[in-house]
Amino acid sequence: MRRYAVFGSPIAHSLSPFIHAAFARQTGIALEYVAIEAGHGDFAEKLAASGVDGANVTLPLKEDAFALCRSTSARAQRAGAVNTLLHEGDGWRGDNTDGLGLVRDLTERHGLDLRDRRVLLLGAGGAARGVAPALLDAGIHSLYIANRTAERADALADALGDPARVHPRGWDALSDLGEFDLLVNATAATRTGALPVLPMALVAPRSVAVDLNYGASAVAFLAWARAAGCAQALDGLGMLVEQAAESFSLWHGVRPETDAVYAALRARVETSPAAGD
Ligand SMILES: NC(=O)c1ccc[n+]([C@@H]2O[C@H](COP(=O)([O-])OP(=O)(O)OC[C@H]3O[C@@H](n4cnc5c(N)ncnc54)[C@H](OP(=O)(O)O)[C@@H]3O)[C@@H](O)[C@H]2O)c1
């Protein structure tokens, strides 16, 4: 039986084992998929010791995973972050399925047209790095990146190499940016502390807000988005299942159907809101 794992910290409440077990049943592929707790200091060692055939990588290890790969896909290079590892000889090839997962969820599940949209991305960590190139590829008009540590927003903007559309900003500049069509929370703020205050002036009646978090971690941003008057406030559960489906198809050459797994996850998160990716 082939073995897979998701590495990250904290990882105990990860939904990835549930998702990949559901995909395996649906496609008739025999596999085991487990969650392994690992941080910056012990990730490489635990990955080597695990003997897995492939792996997912989550917070806070996506940039560490990028650094340890022997080769990386074009989308992982643009992100500077890896969430999917595939064997390449005795080393690893890295890919990043987060951006495709978000765009597929927004456009196919929720029917949004991203073309020509003015987009605010909050955060510049591994998840923000994954979704930014895919949003640009989906044809958005402009991408404003605001991060608590402004230098990280600058570094992401530099890496994206699209100065006409990409504008890094410090968190303190948010009140001067005007309204956005799409607001994406890619921070881990509600996991590590409280969501910083966001000006309501960022929102227009047409605005859509999406939190890459879900369950208890998404409550604060989505409550703010609704209070500010967003037309839609979406969580990251759809992205989670879509990025997992893309990883699954990279490993097994079969694309699983996601709607039934999404519905099962939604029911699971409603009864256990502490779940994490
Ligand atoms: N739905 C999905 O499929 C999916 C996929 C990937 C990630 N996610 C979620 O997205 C979130 C971010 O993940 P990641 O991999 O990007 O983590 P990461 O690499 O550790 O980055 C964390 C980001 O959050 C910011 N942040 C942390 N605490 C903050 C606070 N108190 N106030 C303001 N900003 C704060 C960091 O800012 P600094 O740079 O200033 O530290 C950084 O931008 C996680 O909660 C993760 O669960 C969901």
Side-chain angles (χ1 to χ4, degrees), residues 58-60 62-63 98 123-128 147-149 152 171 186-189 191-194 196 212-214 236-237 239-240 243 277:
T58 187
L59 172 147
K62 290 179 182 176
E63 289 157 82
D98 279 341
N147 195 47
R148 177 178 62 177
T149 309
R152 248 179 135 186
W171 208 276
T187 75
R191 287 178 168 223
T192 57
L212 304 195
N213 298 279
Y214 41 81
L237 215 51
M239 170 182 168
L240 183 72
Q243 62 78 26
D277 56 301

Side-chain angles (χ1 to χ4, degrees), residues 63 121-129 145-147 149 152-154 156 186-187:
E63 289 157 82
L121 179 61
L122 300 170
R129 284 182 162 270
I145 305 170
N147 195 47
T149 309
R152 248 179 135 186
D154 292 341
L156 173 53
T187 75

